[in-house]
Amino acid sequence: MFKEAREIVKNSKSVYVVAHVNPDGDAIGSTFAVYFALKKLGKDVHVIMPSFSSAFEFLPGVEYRVENVKEDEYDLLIALDASDRTRLAMSEEDYNKAKKVIMLDHHQISNPYGDFRYINDLKSSASEIAYLFIKSLEVDFDENIATLLYTGIMTDTGSFNYSNANSDTFRVAADLLDNGARSVEVCKKLNDTMKEAKLKLIAKTVENMEVYYDGKMRYSYISYEEIKALGLDDEDSEGMTNYLRAVEGTEIAVYVRGKSDGSLKVSMRSGGNLDTSKIAIAFGGGGHPRAAGYTMRESLEVEKEKLIKAVGEML
Ligand code: 5GP
Ligand code: MN
């Protein structure tokens, strides 16, 4: 399955690894796992990544992230967890410096790019695909690689609870545990620990909540000013949508947050039946049936009204 990709890796020396903007557990886990694997193969490898939530700082290797390409050209770019080139957390200029591009992704709808592509939406996460990729490179898993891949799979499957966690996913996770994945630490750091400010953000999310369609839709908007006032910033202001969805009867939860660059980021979660990716795509974004998002293009008032209408039509 990765035969051609293996050849490309074999013929490359300088490699950059990248994932999508707003890095989450899967983006961080899959890229740094591939980073350690390629290091073991003697490659000159770097991960390009913007800053992310401090909750992920305990993960191995993340202190080595860089924000751009130093060279005028490099042999290979490995892109993970990004369905669209424009979602990659790198400049177009740095993308174009790559002689070859490998794309590994698990999104349903994508805009493929690169010389070698492996896209499989039946896989739980980019980390599960990275596991197969690293295996095919015949690199031995170690504690760091295992912990990173485990993190990506755990976070993208809601701790193995969502429908994207199938029996293959559990088998991969079991193998990662056999290879030393620090699962207890990962769960403690990512599921059972938060800043006090984050708890206050949850309270604010509830305070700002609006309810539509007899409780089938829950919406909450938090401005960037409110986020700053809590002592938080872009990296720590996400993750609120699940709380809204958890309320019984919710078919769709929408969380909108202001960001430091003035943009408004929409995050949607489905209660099960409604396909949020359809809505996101219609608004210029993307995602999965149960989790999708986009950045608003017009004013909050206009976009909010359009969104409420679109949801009403789907319900
Ligand atoms: P989240 O709500 O966690 O920010 O995003 C949920 C999912 O929606 C992500 O895993 C990603 O697949 C997708 N997504 C979020 N924002 C965007 C966007 O602006 N564009 C695209 N194409 N996908 C997005
Ligand atoms: Mn992912």
Side-chain angles (χ1 to χ4, degrees), residues 200-215:
K200 290 182 175 161
L201 183 68
I202 298 172
K204 195 95 206 149
T205 305
V206 177
E207 194 185 312
N208 294 0
M209 181 177 72
E210 297 170 28
V211 182
Y212 299 94
Y213 305 119
D214 298 322

Side-chain angles (χ1 to χ4, degrees), residues 20 24-27 30 80-82 105-107 123-127 152 155-156 164 288:
H20 56 79
D24 57 10
D26 191 28
S30 62
L80 293 133
D81 206 24
D105 185 41
H106 73 117
H107 291 87
K123 298 294 175 198
S124 65
S125 51
S127 295
T155 52
D156 254 31
N164 61 347
H288 311 271

Side-chain angles (χ1 to χ4, degrees), residues 66-137:
V66 298
E67 301 219 344
N68 39 48
V69 174
K70 288 173 298 257
E71 300 85 352
D72 292 333
E73 61 171 18
Y74 56 98
D75 297 331
L76 172 62
L77 177 69
I78 301 179
L80 293 133
D81 206 24
S83 55
D84 197 303
R85 216 184 107 166
T86 58
R87 287 265 295 154
L88 290 176
M90 72 192 305
S91 68
E92 205 177 322
E93 192 190 339
D94 283 349
Y95 180 93
N96 289 329
K97 289 176 181 174
K99 289 188 211 152
K100 292 272 182 200
V101 177
I102 290 177
M103 172 198 185
L104 308 174
D105 185 41
H106 73 117
H107 291 87
Q108 205 160 25
I109 293 166
S110 66
N111 215 341
Y113 51 88
D115 305 283
F116 174 89
R117 298 150 191 182
Y118 179 84
I119 303 163
N120 188 345
D121 68 325
L122 298 175
K123 298 294 175 198
S124 65
S125 51
S127 295
E128 192 177 334
I129 295 172
Y131 166 90
L132 298 171
F133 177 62
I134 292 170
K135 238 187 159 57
S136 86
L137 294 175

